[in-house]
Amino acid sequence: CIEAGALVGVTTHYSRLKDFAASDKQKRFAMGAMLLGEDGRPTYRMRIPSVGDSYGLETADRVMGKSELGARILERARELLGKQERQLSEMLLAAEKQRAELEQLEADVQKKNEAAEERVKEAEAKAQAAEEQLRAAQRDGMREWAKEAKKKERQLED
């Protein structure tokens, strides 16, 4: 199917399938990851290209709560995972956390930039208004000076 140019959408928690897609030298596969919110729930947004953890154990931990049976099941599941798989999962979780922190920092910087731009616009508008007031005062002053000059000229003529 792939050689014929078919488009196929696949979702999996199976790491070997992810490895297969990542190692495809012909780049026939696009990998993506579901983004999770801070509470661990899915946001239903995809990050492409990206590799993500399945978060299966974390989701089970959140859903099953802190019961003794749930804790035993999760511990056994973690034991069944290979050491490399656990390390990869931990690295992916750390990378996802750093990515989320970076996105928050970028959003904060964007807000601060927008606020600074608004303050610059306000300052420019105030400067322009002050300049217009100064020009008006100068015009009024010149008119007053001209009136006084004419008045004195008349007095000299009388």
Side-chain angles (χ1 to χ4, degrees):
C1 286
I2 295 170
E3 285 79 16
L7 298 175
V8 179
V10 177
T11 179
T12 184
H13 294 274
Y14 187 51
S15 62
R16 289 190 179 163
L17 187 54
K18 293 179 197 178
D19 293 343
F20 170 72
S23 65
D24 180 48
K25 297 201 184 327
Q26 297 176 26
K27 304 291 183 204
R28 297 172 292 179
F29 303 97
M31 294 179 56
M34 171 86 64
L35 300 177
L36 300 180
E38 289 183 25
D39 61 356
R41 297 182 190 281
T43 62
Y44 301 101
R45 291 183 15 226
M46 292 287 292
R47 177 174 303 284
I48 299 173
S50 183
V51 178
D53 191 50
S54 71
Y55 302 107
L57 296 178
E58 291 76 11
T59 301
D61 188 33
R62 182 175 42 81
V63 171
M64 293 174 23
K66 302 298 178 193
S67 70
E68 185 179 328
L69 176 61
R72 288 197 327 243
I73 292 170
L74 286 169
E75 182 59 34
R76 179 68 179 136
R78 286 185 176 100
E79 289 172 5
L80 292 173
L81 284 176
K83 181 180 179 182
Q84 289 179 333
E85 182 113 5
R86 278 195 312 272
Q87 289 174 336
L88 176 60
S89 179
E90 290 168 5
M91 289 188 322
L92 288 172
L93 285 170
E96 179 63 23
K97 183 179 178 185
Q98 288 178 340
R99 183 210 53 79
E101 290 171 355
L102 179 60
E103 281 186 354
Q104 184 61 50
L105 287 172
E106 288 175 341
D108 292 346
V109 166
Q110 180 67 25
K111 284 180 184 175
K112 288 179 181 177
N113 282 343
E114 289 170 0
E117 288 173 5
E118 187 62 32
R119 286 193 299 271
V120 166
K121 286 180 184 176
E122 289 171 4
E124 288 173 346
K126 286 180 181 179
Q128 185 176 1
E131 193 173 305
E132 288 172 6
Q133 286 178 340
L134 177 61
R135 277 191 238 121
Q138 288 173 338
R139 281 191 307 270
D140 291 346
M142 291 298 284
R143 284 188 196 120
E144 194 61 38
W145 179 82
K147 283 182 189 176
E148 281 295 316
K150 283 198 182 232
K151 187 177 177 184
K152 291 197 186 232
E153 185 179 311
R154 279 190 220 125
Q155 287 175 351
L156 287 172
E157 289 175 354
D158 290 340

